[in-house]
Amino acid sequence: MTKRPEDLRSHQWYGGEGLRAFSHRARSRQLGLNPEEHLGKPVIAILNTWSGINPCHMHLRERAEQVARGVWQAGGYPVEFPVSTLSETFCKPTPMLYRNLLAMETEEILRSYPVDGAVLMGGCDKTTPGLLMGAASADLPAIFVPAGPMLRGHWRGETLGSGTDMWRYWDERRAGTIGAEEWDELEAGLARSPGTCMTMGTASTMTSAAEALGLTLPGASSIPAVDSAHNRMAAASGRRAVELVWADLTPSRILDSRAYADAAATVMALGGSTNALIHLIAMAGRSQVPLNLADFDRIARTTPVLADIRPGGRFLMEDFYYAGGLRALLARLRDRLHTDRITVTGRTFGEDLAGAIVHDDNVIRRLDSPLSTEGGVAVLRGNLAPDGAVIKYVAAAPELLRHTGPAVVFHGYRDLQDRINDPGLAVTEDSVLVLAGAGPKGGPGMPEYGMLPIPDRLLKRGVRDMVRVSDARMSGTSYGACVLHVAPEAHVGGPLALVRDGDPITLDVADRTLRLEVPEEELARRRAEWTPPEPVFERGYGALYYEHVTQADRGCDFEFLARPGKNPEPYAG
Ligand code: FES
């Protein structure tokens, strides 16, 4: 131990003979605590994203009790704090609008209360980056407890994956090959247990990234939510949180450029969600570590996709766990990783991987038979995306990866919904569907509209993929030739705002380019005619968001949260 009880941060609240300390101790007795139960012990904040509306986190109330058990066992004092739940399913227009709010809430709770360390409980898409961004800024010792994926879905002998199979069967329903009865059965069979989406969507991508960063116990991110191992992991995380406080092992000692490079490589090897690029750039910004889109493209080119998991592959997270989980995959990637950096265990990343083996080469591919020899994501540039765009090309029809077609432009999601099935819409399978006005400010919140629906009449003719371009994001469970995160977005005058119906657009993934084939003089004329839209929000949190959110290539953080600098500790005496 390097710290004494009187060195604990919480001692500023509870220690000494002053009136404030008296008041804090008196109120602790009001909480039902005898002084010997908590004074001089590390206070561990359990930040819990449980709520009654978030099915992915419905088990976290019970799991928080296991965390608290571990904290008590190790001689700490657990205090549970409810924080924003950010249900990906129910929060509108998108929980991405509120990721930074959760990050602020996390940071300020840790700062303003007598807290020595934290256990962060989340998993549903935006909760992982939100919690970790706040914890990185607060820089108190912290450990992440991933909610864990739900069990496989089932329907008439078929295995169903969250999101992925919903989109797939929705296309079949619209094409008329699935009836109302089957559709109702699918609704009942898709999500069978608590836990996060069990495809390699944003949730599993980000919890795996958190593990690769070194912020979870080894293996934690792969454990299914309802497995008894998840209870044991939660308790062990509580115990470890107390040890972290005594060792003063803070996020800033763990989150260096090597950790972020390894997290990026992990995302690529998993065939993970494109959302991870935005979140990891934002998280690295909080750690004051340079990380940009070019880094992802470079890492992608040298990292094979080893996880054969939907939407890019065949299996689901439950299969991944039985095949050895993330530790086994990382052990296969070992030569590409920085194994000498420290993690939340106090050991090196390499030591955390010791003994990990793959039990099923179909699910976690061998290096000599990867799903793809390069990571599944490419970063595109060109006159349509001067600051970059992203495509998850492993989940796209290969023949579309080099394609030129005429634009069919939609301005905002409502326009898209209103006109996509208009019989008069001049669209063919060669068209490039463009959605402008769905970015960080215009969306607002950059919703997951990026998998633009294929028009019904083309679906009925058997078309299942088209090139689509937007400044939106896409669910990690989605698929298709969807160019996403075009920056700068249309709402702030990015070139996407200048595209007109019929303009040829060229996508060339091998060349990493996205071009609007319109003469520069014509684009200059259109630019001069462009008028900025009205701000989306007039007041409240939305106005704060609108004023300060950065573009996708910079992680969509608030510039005042990403900037370097330190805030004073609150005076508790
Ligand atoms: Fe919560 Fe997918 S909806 S993880």
Side-chain angles (χ1 to χ4, degrees):
M1 288 187 189
T2 56
K3 266 187 187 170
R4 300 165 302 165
E6 55 270 35
D7 297 330
L8 292 172
R9 184 173 178 270
S10 58
H11 185 74
Q12 294 169 46
W13 276 259
Y14 296 116
E17 298 304 319
L19 183 59
R20 291 278 178 208
F22 168 87
S23 166
H24 297 147
R25 292 194 299 265
R27 292 298 181 157
S28 296
R29 290 191 196 229
Q30 183 185 12
L31 285 166
L33 289 163
N34 289 314
E36 64 273 18
E37 288 182 84
H38 73 102
L39 293 182
K41 297 182 174 185
V43 179
I44 304 298
I46 302 171
L47 267 53
N48 194 349
T49 50
W50 175 90
S51 82
I53 191 120
N54 193 337
C56 309
H57 294 179
M58 61 197 276
H59 57 305
L60 291 189
R61 189 184 245 177
E62 182 192 327
R63 233 35 115 243
E65 292 172 12
Q66 308 305 321
V67 173
R69 174 167 67 97
V71 172
W72 286 120
Q73 284 171 348
Y77 166 35
V79 182
E80 188 177 350
F81 290 86
V83 291
S84 302
T85 196
L86 300 192
S87 169
E88 191 64 30
T89 307
F90 293 106
C91 179
K92 305 296 178 194
T94 163
M96 185 63 182
L97 187 64
Y98 301 104
R99 182 201 65 182
N100 298 347
L101 186 62
L102 173 60
M104 291 169 74
E105 186 184 17
T106 298
E107 178 180 351
E108 299 307 328
I109 282 177
L110 297 182
R111 175 173 293 118
S112 59
Y113 284 94
V115 171
D116 298 300
V119 177
L120 313 164
M121 305 186 69
C124 191
D125 295 23
K126 311 305 176 290
T127 56
T128 302
L131 289 164
L132 296 183
M133 287 160 69
S137 292
D139 205 28
L140 293 179
I143 188 167
F144 182 66
V145 170
M150 66 177 101
L151 299 177
R152 301 182 194 99
H154 274 289
W155 175 65
R156 295 190 179 189
E158 276 188 46
T159 299
L160 299 179
S162 324
T164 306
D165 287 302
M166 179 179 76
W167 313 124
R168 200 178 310 280
Y169 282 114
W170 176 233
D171 282 351
E172 298 306 324
R173 176 101 174 101
R174 290 194 296 138
T177 57
I178 291 261
E181 192 179 332
E182 290 99 322
W183 189 240
D184 188 59
E185 289 173 15
L186 282 161
E187 189 175 297
L190 195 63
R192 296 173 45 236
S193 80
T196 50
C197 292
M198 74 316 234
T199 42
M200 189 49 73
T202 305
S204 288
T205 303
M206 288 311 301
T207 55
S208 300
E211 181 171 335
L213 284 167
L215 295 174
T216 73
L217 290 181
S221 65
S222 310
I223 305 171
V226 294
D227 196 294
S228 62
H230 200 270
N231 286 279
R232 299 192 294 276
M233 177 271 292
S237 299
R239 288 194 293 274
R240 184 61 194 153
V242 177
E243 295 166 3
L244 289 176
V245 171
W246 293 125
D248 203 24
L249 185 48
T250 54
S252 61
R253 291 176 58 196
I254 296 170
L255 297 174
D256 60 14
S257 58
R258 299 170 299 171
Y260 282 104
D262 288 349
T266 302
V267 168
M268 297 304 160
L270 290 169
S273 162
T274 45
N275 284 322
L277 278 68
I278 294 177
H279 296 320
L280 283 172
I281 287 172
M283 289 161 62
R286 297 302 189 94
S287 303
Q288 305 304 315
V289 168
L291 183 72
N292 57 37
L293 289 176
D295 294 320
F296 280 95
D297 198 67
R298 177 176 46 77
I299 291 168
R301 287 175 189 267
T302 57
T303 310
V305 180
L306 299 183
D308 195 342
I309 303 177
R310 298 181 207 183
R314 295 171 293 168
F315 298 98
L316 295 173
M317 287 303 291
E318 197 178 338
D319 308 297
F320 186 58
Y321 178 59
Y322 302 144
L326 187 68
R327 285 179 74 242
L329 177 137
L330 293 173
R332 285 216 158 140
L333 273 189
R334 178 185 276 272
D335 291 347
R336 290 169 167 80
L337 302 172
H338 301 87
T339 50
D340 56 344
R341 61 187 172 86
I342 198 167
T343 77
V344 82
T345 63
R347 301 185 297 263
T348 66
F349 189 39
E351 287 169 338
D352 286 347
L353 300 179
I357 50 171
V358 174
H359 303 299
D360 188 339
D361 288 337
N362 292 310
V363 181
I364 302 175
R365 299 289 196 90
R366 295 165 56 93
L367 285 169
D368 58 9
S369 63
L371 207 62
S372 158
T373 51
E374 292 187 10
V377 172
V379 175
L380 310 168
R381 288 186 195 275
N383 67 345
L384 193 47
D387 293 336
V390 166
I391 183 169
K392 184 173 178 175
Y393 64 90
V394 285
E399 65 275 13
L400 292 175
L401 299 182
R402 191 159 191 277
H403 178 83
T404 299
V408 177
V409 185
F410 302 93
H411 296 280
Y413 190 58
R414 288 205 182 150
D415 181 36
L416 170 70
Q417 285 190 311
D418 288 347
R419 292 195 298 119
I420 189 71
N421 287 315
D422 184 333
L425 189 71
V427 63
T428 72
E429 61 191 279
D430 292 328
S431 300
V432 174
L433 302 178
V434 173
L435 174 63
K441 291 192 186 212
M446 208 179 174
E448 295 184 334
Y449 300 154
M451 190 171 81
L452 280 70
I454 292 168
D456 284 356
R457 68 175 190 269
L458 294 181
L459 275 178
K460 287 183 177 133
R461 293 217 315 259
V463 178
R464 290 295 182 270
D465 200 359
M466 293 173 70
V467 174
R468 291 158 264 185
V469 178
S470 75
D471 46 14
R473 295 175 301 115
M474 176 174 90
S475 164
T477 61
S478 301
Y479 51 87
C482 304
V483 177
L484 311 159
H485 310 181
V486 169
E489 62 175 310
H491 191 85
V492 299
L496 208 55
L498 310 179
V499 185
R500 304 269 166 88
D501 282 338
D503 287 349
I505 290 177
T506 297
L507 166 68
D508 189 336
V509 173
D511 196 37
R512 300 294 198 260
T513 52
L514 179 69
R515 289 195 314 276
L516 179 60
E517 311 283 6
V518 173
E520 184 48 45
E521 313 80 68
E522 170 62 13
L523 291 179
R525 193 186 63 74
R526 293 181 191 176
R527 199 172 289 117
E529 279 177 2
W530 182 79
T531 48
E534 290 293 311
V536 176
F537 297 103
E538 292 187 353
R539 57 164 300 283
Y541 171 77
L544 178 85
Y545 170 92
Y546 188 84
E547 210 170 301
H548 295 284
V549 71
T550 61
Q551 290 291 293
D553 59 305
R554 292 177 55 206
C556 302
D557 201 357
F558 295 161
E559 51 80 18
F560 66 86
L561 293 173
R563 72 170 74 130
K566 266 200 176 313
N567 285 352
E569 279 278 69
Y571 180 60

